[in-house]
Amino acid sequence: MCGRYTLTNVAPNLLGPLFGVDDVPLLSPRFNVSPTQDVPIVRVLSPGAPRTIELARWGLVPSWAKDVSIGDRMINARVETAAEKPAYRSSFKSKRCLVVTDGFYEWKKLANGKKQPCRMHLPDEKPFAFAGLWARWKDAEGSTLDTFTILTAEARAAVADVHDRMPVILSPDAYGPWLDPDEHRLDLLQSIVDARSGDDLVVTPVSTRVNNPRNEGPENVRPLFAQDPA
DNA sequence: CCAGACGTTGTT
DNA sequence: GTCTGG
DNA sequence: CCAGACGTTGTT
DNA sequence: GTCTGG
């Protein structure tokens, strides 16, 4: 699954070209993104409109929810079922987004029962995108809250040694159709997420300081062991 | 018809 | 054990 | 995902 | 909102 991630490199001249966004807001580097926090997602809000990066809350709150708290349990959506599940269906059809990241954490259960946090990232540490779904919710006073969830799938490649599930990672050529709010062909959308990327991720064990969501800072992503020379 | 759920993961 | 908060 | 709380009443 | 269960 995916319950914690990073976005450490927030340089606009890097994120803009990578995700095809003209205006990248000022963002804080994040070393321990946790559920319920506001973090940047890429969307196309109406057909033909330019892509935007804006903050949204992690934990999808469906439009019909009576309370935001339902979002606490909607941080992930299984790619095998998201298109059909009542809570995700309408978002899958027309509210898809990219979740901007440059790594995610998984906890490997060791033989001694302890858990070793590991960070999964690209060899060059470049940012990439999780496939996400978003929703717009209105509270009793009518103010809106935009929220999102991250699609998950069976783990592949190096990640499988750590955990059995992982976020769906999109290749850049999938960004266009995935973000198009007019694209309603479920079979095409399903094929995009099924053909996910991420086989080149590398696994880096890190300090247990990432366990506590309050701990931020570059120490979180520092390799626990010395790096092998290339 | 109305009432109630709507989620994932891990663990047992 | 289970729920809430981050 | 993990960390941390988990309760009420009355009195100060 | 929409589907399932009664």
Side-chain angles (χ1 to χ4, degrees):
Chain A
M1 82 176 289
C2 179
R4 221 72 79 75
Y5 68 90
T6 64
L7 177 57
T8 69
N9 196 333
V10 293
N13 62 1
L14 178 73
L15 297 181
L18 272 177
F19 299 105
V21 180
D22 290 332
D23 296 312
V24 179
L26 282 177
L27 300 167
S28 304
R30 294 297 312 275
F31 300 86
N32 207 351
V33 174
S34 307
T36 72
Q37 296 179 339
D38 292 321
V39 278
I41 60 173
V42 176
R43 291 178 292 185
V44 173
L45 287 167
S46 56
R51 295 178 191 175
T52 59
I53 296 187
E54 293 170 296
L55 299 185
R57 176 185 164 114
W58 186 10
L60 187 144
V61 180
S63 60
W64 40 260
K66 292 182 182 67
D67 194 273
V68 284
S69 64
I70 191 175
D72 298 354
R73 291 162 294 166
M74 307 269 193
I75 65 170
N76 292 140
R78 295 175 62 87
V79 74
E80 298 91 339
T81 54
E84 291 92 40
K85 293 283 184 185
Y88 297 136
R89 232 178 98 146
S90 63
S91 293
F92 192 95
K93 195 172 180 196
S94 56
K95 289 188 173 62
R96 296 174 300 273
C97 63
L98 307 180
V99 181
V100 182
T101 181
D102 57 13
F104 58 96
Y105 298 109
E106 301 284 1
W107 280 258
K108 182 185 176 107
K109 287 177 63 175
L110 305 177
N112 62 15
K114 294 187 173 175
K115 290 179 177 179
Q116 172 60 56
C118 298
R119 179 167 174 263
M120 322 295 174
H121 55 91
L122 294 177
D124 61 7
E125 287 284 359
K126 283 228 176 73
F128 53 96
F130 299 141
L133 308 175
W134 66 278
R136 181 160 290 172
W137 182 79
K138 283 184 167 51
D139 68 15
E141 285 76 41
S143 47
T144 61
L145 177 71
D146 283 358
T147 61
F148 71 94
T149 191
I150 296 170
L151 293 180
T152 64
E154 196 174 334
R156 296 198 309 200
V159 183
D161 293 334
V162 179
H163 200 70
D164 61 343
R165 304 285 298 176
M166 68 182 279
V168 171
I169 294 162
L170 297 179
S171 58
D173 57 12
Y175 295 171
W178 183 251
L179 291 174
D180 180 0
D182 266 353
E183 181 55 79
H184 300 313
R185 289 171 292 178
L186 293 184
D187 54 347
L188 183 144
L189 295 167
Q190 195 69 48
S191 72
I192 287 173
V193 284
D194 288 346
R196 60 209 161 89
S197 172
D199 282 352
D200 45 351
L201 289 168
V202 294
V203 176
T204 300
V206 294
S207 162
T208 53
R209 57 172 285 121
V210 305
N211 289 10
N212 193 326
R214 284 190 256 263
N215 289 337
E216 275 285 343
E219 311 94 296
N220 289 4
V221 301
R222 187 177 301 147
L224 196 58
F225 309 112
Q227 297 287 281
D228 293 329

